[in-house]
Amino acid sequence: MMWSTAAISRLGIRVPVIQAPLGGGPSTVELAAAVCNAGGLGTIAGGYLTAATLREQIRALRKLTDRPFAVNLFVPEPAEPDPAEPDPAVLDGARQLLSRYREEVGLPPDRRSGPWAEDFDEQFGVVVDERIPVFSFTFGLLPGDGVDRLHGVGTVVMGTATNVREATALASSGVDLLCAQGAEAGGHHGTWIGSARDSVIGTMALVPLVCDAVAVPVVAAGGIMDGRGVAAALCLGAGAAQMGTAFMLCPEAGTRVPHRRAMTSADETSVALTSTVTGKLARGVRNRLMTELEGATVPPYPVMNRLTSDLRKASADRTIRN
Ligand SMILES: Cc1cc2nc3c(=O)[nH]c(=O)nc-3n(C[C@H](O)[C@H](O)[C@H](O)COP(=O)(O)O)c2cc1C
């Protein structure tokens, strides 16, 4: 079937499907290549990669496909309070809270300090340098003249909105497309204007609101699992669907075995929202850490994300061994 939407033409793809960036392991170069070669848009999740690894992945993907692809980054958190300097008492409290879990999985006490996230400017430098076809980003507006720099090297730019105010701000900043991320979305919810809990807006409600508010093509994300969902997204006015969870069980995905098992045995009641596991609102299959950290005071993302990242990895390793 031939598809024709403004988003498809802008992205240079044949099928209205974008493989969402799946940061933290599930995204692989092989997965992105398979999606690109099938006519969709594969994405490299660059947010947690060093600039050097990001460059390697871009070059590796280019060897596997000659189709357009995307690279995704996280815009740094606004400096209020300065994320480089988390409140020492809250940081200490979170370390104490996590110490028994670390002990359980055989990790030493956590004494690491910042930087708490990869260097965005270095990552962004690679993206511009490599003249990639499509750049997508979440958690805010691109700082400075980022959009112009990308346009200057021929890159199509897509920002992420979880409410209409974010969508109009992104459209005014000059992006070419908008990803409307609805409440059903797995992973982090990228709200950056207003509170994330106030922006838990279902995909079916959000997409038409965003389509009415902006002139640029809109991509729908959140809870889209198959062709029926893609068709529904197009009916709501989107020009393509960005799907994450649906790709996580693909053989090419880097999803770890315990995560695959949890997803396979989960049903629609097994997923929950949490803001304490990484310091930012996120949806995932409910697990012990999510349940036991509920209501705790933790430092904001990306600090809490860094504090729990090796714990989450070690816990998955231990599940595989046992
Ligand atoms: C495991 C996982 C990791 C994700 N990592 C990123 C990321 O690095 N960057 C990003 O913009 N979105 C990320 N997302 C969100 C997706 O872009 C997208 O909004 C979401 O997957 C759509 O909902 P769905 O999972 O129901 O398809 C992630 C989602 C999941 C499930």
Side-chain angles (χ1 to χ4, degrees), residues 9-79:
S9 345
R10 204 75 189 85
L11 296 168
I13 53 179
R14 284 187 286 116
V15 178
V17 171
I18 300 175
Q19 167 248 314
L22 296 164
S27 261
T28 61
V29 167
E30 291 72 23
L31 178 62
V35 174
C36 293
N37 291 334
L41 187 79
T43 307
I44 292 176
Y48 298 128
L49 304 181
T50 62
T53 307
L54 179 58
R55 193 185 294 277
E56 275 167 29
Q57 290 208 359
I58 293 171
R59 293 187 175 175
L61 180 54
R62 282 199 154 117
K63 291 200 175 114
L64 297 177
T65 187
D66 57 4
R67 309 288 313 153
F69 63 88
V71 172
N72 174 270
L73 291 180
F74 305 130
V75 168
E77 298 295 300

Side-chain angles (χ1 to χ4, degrees), residues 113-260:
S113 56
W116 302 98
E118 296 303 329
D119 188 316
F120 176 80
D121 292 337
E122 282 183 17
Q123 293 171 319
F124 191 72
V126 168
V127 164
V128 175
D129 199 35
E130 290 289 326
R131 298 172 170 260
I132 57 166
V134 181
F135 175 70
S136 70
F137 61 97
T138 187
F139 301 170
L141 290 172
L142 266 190
D145 59 353
V147 175
D148 289 342
R149 284 176 69 196
L150 289 165
H151 283 162
V153 294
T155 299
V156 172
V157 185
M158 178 166 80
T160 308
T162 63
N163 59 44
V164 171
R165 280 170 66 205
E166 292 171 357
T168 50
L170 281 162
S172 306
S173 78
V175 300
D176 305 295
L177 295 105
L178 264 176
C179 177
Q181 187 192 42
E184 295 89 340
H188 282 124
H189 289 200
T191 303
W192 46 280
I193 297 182
S195 111
R197 290 275 175 190
D198 289 342
S199 287
V200 181
I201 305 159
T203 304
M204 188 156 178
L206 181 67
V207 171
L209 288 173
V210 171
C211 288
D212 288 349
V214 299
V216 294
V218 174
V219 169
I224 302 170
M225 295 300 293
D226 57 23
R228 292 169 297 183
V230 177
L234 297 189
C235 285
L236 295 173
Q242 175 157 298
M243 301 156 74
T245 304
F247 285 104
M248 288 183 64
L249 295 177
C250 291
E252 297 88 348
T255 314
R256 312 209 54 208
V257 171
H259 206 166
R260 284 180 189 264

